[in-house]
């Protein structure tokens, strides 16, 4: 049943993003790629730490995308850079807590729930990769070094982090 729900959610996300207009900082292709990665990892039974890494990246990219979209529509408001991400994170994490997905005493890493740890780590990694893209672009005369750099960098960094965490978990280092 859960597999069907994740597949349906991934399909709906893909359809929504297919019809979305492009944004400047974080594009819909990146969000679709992060969402797809999230759906596949849960479907394959990947550890919650890795899955939530992608959740954090998806929430961060969705927050940025929403803020940019609102600004383009001249619908900006005070504290939107705090309220919008807080809303995304709360609307995602509170239901997970309510349904006992977050908070299980045996689902911890470094004393922190694996999902919370992964969301925080994924958010930091995603934001760092966006910073890296912008830094590289500035160094290259406001041009990307290669096509789709702003998509490739975050996805590549998230994939590398996912593999590192996977192997650390497999060898019981963390």
């Amino acid at each position: 049943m859960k597999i069907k729900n994740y597949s349906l959610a991934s399909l709906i996300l893909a359809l929504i993003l297919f019809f979305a207009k492009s944004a400047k900082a974080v594009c819909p292709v990146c969000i679709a790629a992060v969402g797809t990665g999230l759906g596949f990892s849960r479907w394959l039974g990947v550890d919650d730490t890795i899955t939530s890494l992608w959740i954090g990246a998806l929430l961060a990219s969705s927050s940025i995308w929403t803020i940019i979209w609102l600004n383009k529509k001249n619908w900006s408001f005070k504290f939107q850079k705090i309220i919008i991400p807080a809303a995304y994170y709360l609307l995602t994490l509170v239901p997970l807590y309510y349904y006992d997905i977050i908070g299980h005493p045996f689902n911890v890493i470094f004393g922190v729930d694996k999902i919370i740890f992964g969301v925080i780590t994924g958010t930091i990694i995603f934001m760092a990769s966006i910073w890296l893209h912008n830094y590289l672009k500035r160094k290259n005369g406001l041009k990307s070094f290669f096509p789709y750099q702003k998509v490739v960098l975050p996805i590549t960094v998230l994939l590398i982090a996912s593999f590192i965490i996977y192997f650390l978990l497999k060898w019981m280092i963390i």
Side-chain angles (χ1 to χ4, degrees):
M1 186 65 175
K2 285 186 178 184
I3 293 172
K4 288 182 184 179
N5 289 342
Y6 288 114
S7 298
L8 179 62
S10 296
L11 177 64
I12 290 169
L13 177 64
L15 287 173
I16 290 170
L17 294 176
F18 179 76
F19 293 105
K21 293 182 180 179
S22 66
K24 299 287 183 201
V26 179
C27 67
V29 175
C30 187
I31 292 175
V34 171
T36 301
L38 170 62
F40 280 130
S41 67
R42 288 299 284 175
W43 182 66
L44 294 171
V46 176
D47 188 84
D48 281 345
T49 308
I50 297 168
T51 301
S52 58
L53 188 81
W54 292 86
I55 293 172
L58 180 62
L59 292 172
S61 62
S62 297
S63 298
I64 293 168
W65 195 27
T66 302
I67 291 166
I68 290 168
W69 182 80
L70 288 172
N71 287 340
K72 283 175 73 175
K73 300 286 184 184
N74 292 322
W75 293 344
S76 60
F77 54 91
K78 194 173 185 176
F79 303 117
Q80 74 178 4
K81 290 182 180 179
I82 295 171
I83 293 170
I84 290 171
Y88 273 113
Y89 284 82
L90 288 173
L91 288 170
T92 301
L93 297 176
V94 169
L96 293 175
Y97 178 77
Y98 178 74
Y99 287 106
D100 295 325
I101 295 170
I102 292 176
H104 193 280
F106 298 116
N107 196 32
V108 295
I109 185 168
F110 303 122
V112 178
D113 187 87
K114 286 183 175 185
I115 294 174
I116 300 295
F117 177 83
V119 166
I120 292 168
T121 306
T123 299
I124 292 168
I125 289 171
F126 183 81
M127 297 307 289
S129 67
I130 294 301
W131 177 87
L132 177 62
H133 162 69
N134 291 330
Y135 173 79
L136 291 173
K137 229 176 132 175
R138 281 192 308 274
K139 289 293 184 184
N140 196 31
L142 298 180
K143 294 180 184 176
S144 294
F145 279 98
F146 53 90
Y148 300 105
Q149 175 179 306
K150 76 176 164 186
V151 175
V152 172
L153 279 177
I155 299 302
T156 302
V157 174
L158 284 165
L159 282 171
I160 291 169
S162 296
F163 283 117
I164 290 170
I165 291 172
Y166 170 77
F167 286 114
L168 291 175
L169 287 167
K170 183 177 180 180
W171 295 327
M172 295 187 201
I173 296 173
I174 58 173

